[in-house]
Amino acid sequence: MTGIIRTSWHNAEVLSNQRWTERLLTLRIKTEPLPFIAGQFVTLRLPITTDGNTELVAKSYSLINAPDEAVLEVFYNIVPNGKLSNALAGLQAGDSLEISQPAKGFFVLDEIPKVPNLWMIATGTGLGPYLSILKTAQPWERFQKIVLVHGVPLVNELAYPDLIQGLLAEHPEQFSFIACVTQEANPEGLEGRITTNLESGALEQVAGTHISAEDTHVMLCGNHNMLNDMKELLAKRGMQRHLRHKPGHITTEQYF
Ligand SMILES: Cc1cc2nc3c(=O)[nH]c(=O)nc-3n(C[C@H](O)[C@H](O)[C@H](O)COP(=O)(O)OP(=O)(O)OC[C@H]3O[C@@H](n4cnc5c(N)ncnc54)[C@H](O)[C@@H]3O)c2cc1C
């Protein structure tokens, strides 16, 4: 017996491919039941033809839907010259693609130590896994305070406003949301990078709570620059990467 779980490929049908902006989309797909833990990702695969050669291109995407929702949802952006993201953007209702099973990944609450405060920090489409987690009962039962921070270049890239407003209305004391917009004015939140707002103290001031090694866990999801810069800033507060064999304060999911 080995512990290796083989990936199998399943057909999925596109239900919709909603555009938030020119480069930001949400793909909704239907496939056979896919058990997963909120925060995990799947691999999507499509045949792509370039210069007469067809290859199967597969990439990872976090699931945004809650595990008990039948329609699978992926929040993605079109990467300039990116093979799969451009092909995904061309899909329409009724088209098919392949999806891997089982879902994978350790960016899930079960992997996080017992602490009262949780900060969920995302750049761009890194928001996705948090939405899945926040749609479940687990975070609301476990944490006294949850702060979701979303960093984007433009205000219109603050996707899923209705879902986030709904969570704020449902959990007014327990939940805070902070948007950090880097390339234009942001009347509804903060301007500038997440890291700049952490350094200036603005993030904690707006959240009404602190980030400390004593009582906080920080989840980071998105591009490697944000992850590395945040880890450096958090290290100054005595916060380290969390590992199963060496408990810490930071859990990460790097998209690129
Ligand atoms: C665990 C995991 C989960 C992921 N979940 C998501 C998700 O939910 N949504 C999502 O949009 N992406 C997600 N990604 C990234 C995704 O897998 C692809 O890398 C991305 O869609 C680009 O694929 P592509 O084939 O279009 O580009 P490629 O042809 O592979 O890439 C072209 C170049 O663009 C760079 N690049 C890759 N992604 C980005 C980006 N987002 N912005 C700018 N440059 C980039 C690459 O470094 C590469 O040099 C995830 C990645 C991982 C590892």
Side-chain angles (χ1 to χ4, degrees):
M1 283 282 285
T2 71
I4 295 171
I5 301 171
R6 285 192 189 285
T7 296
S8 58
W9 291 98
H10 301 259
N11 285 325
E13 182 191 336
V14 175
L15 299 177
S16 65
N17 204 3
Q18 176 202 339
R19 254 174 213 271
W20 297 94
T21 69
E22 262 311 285
R23 58 174 214 104
L24 260 190
L25 298 95
T26 289
L27 182 70
R28 291 188 182 82
I29 56 180
K30 196 173 74 177
T31 185
E32 54 199 78
L34 190 157
F36 73 99
I37 304 169
Q40 286 190 312
F41 64 90
V42 289
T43 306
L44 300 181
R45 186 164 84 169
L46 274 177
I48 295 177
T49 303
T50 320
D51 301 329
N53 297 318
T54 301
E55 57 172 342
L56 282 171
V57 181
K59 296 280 159 67
S60 305
Y61 294 93
S62 303
L63 291 170
I64 290 186
N65 55 292
D68 62 357
E69 290 176 326
V71 172
L72 303 182
E73 198 166 319
V74 159
F75 177 45
Y76 69 101
N77 62 316
I78 301 176
V79 172
N81 302 316
K83 275 191 180 167
L84 191 63
S85 57
N86 278 280
L88 289 178
L91 293 174
Q92 295 179 354
D95 288 344
S96 57
L97 73 161
E98 287 181 296
I99 182 167
S100 66
Q101 286 214 21
K104 292 182 182 161
F106 301 100
F107 200 66
V108 299
L109 292 188
D110 292 343
E111 296 290 331
I112 286 174
K114 281 200 172 72
V115 285
N117 301 326
L118 179 67
W119 282 65
M120 302 171 134
I121 299 182
T123 47
T125 54
L127 179 73
Y130 301 135
L131 298 182
S132 180
I133 292 169
L134 292 169
K135 282 179 166 191
T136 69
Q138 201 183 7
W140 311 110
E141 289 165 2
R142 271 194 57 180
F143 300 99
Q144 285 169 22
K145 184 81 190 171
I146 300 170
V147 183
L148 175 64
V149 181
H150 191 197
V152 291
L154 302 170
V155 169
N156 69 359
E157 293 176 77
L158 293 167
Y160 291 91
D162 294 346
L163 174 54
I164 292 167
Q165 285 306 320
L167 292 169
L168 286 166
E170 239 178 281
H171 308 277
E173 302 299 326
Q174 204 179 357
F175 183 53
S176 303
F177 172 70
I178 305 170
C180 295
V181 175
T182 54
Q183 290 180 13
E184 62 183 1
N186 179 26
E188 302 285 320
L190 296 173
E191 284 155 31
R193 288 176 184 274
I194 295 170
T195 42
T196 311
N197 284 303
L198 177 62
E199 275 186 296
S200 72
L203 268 189
E204 288 158 295
Q205 195 187 353
V206 174
T209 185
H210 54 262
I211 297 181
S212 97
E214 276 72 54
D215 61 9
T216 311
H217 196 88
V218 180
M219 298 178 86
L220 303 172
C221 185
N223 70 64
H224 65 276
N225 288 331
M226 184 276 279
L227 265 57
N228 290 340
D229 293 351
M230 280 297 295
K231 281 189 284 187
E232 220 170 276
L233 291 176
L234 294 172
K236 292 183 190 163
R237 299 176 183 223
M239 300 176 83
Q240 306 297 334
R241 191 169 163 216
H242 175 70
L243 299 167
R244 276 183 183 172
H245 63 274
K246 193 171 169 235
H249 321 86
I250 306 168
T251 304
T252 62
E253 187 82 287
Q254 184 176 316
Y255 278 5
F256 68 98

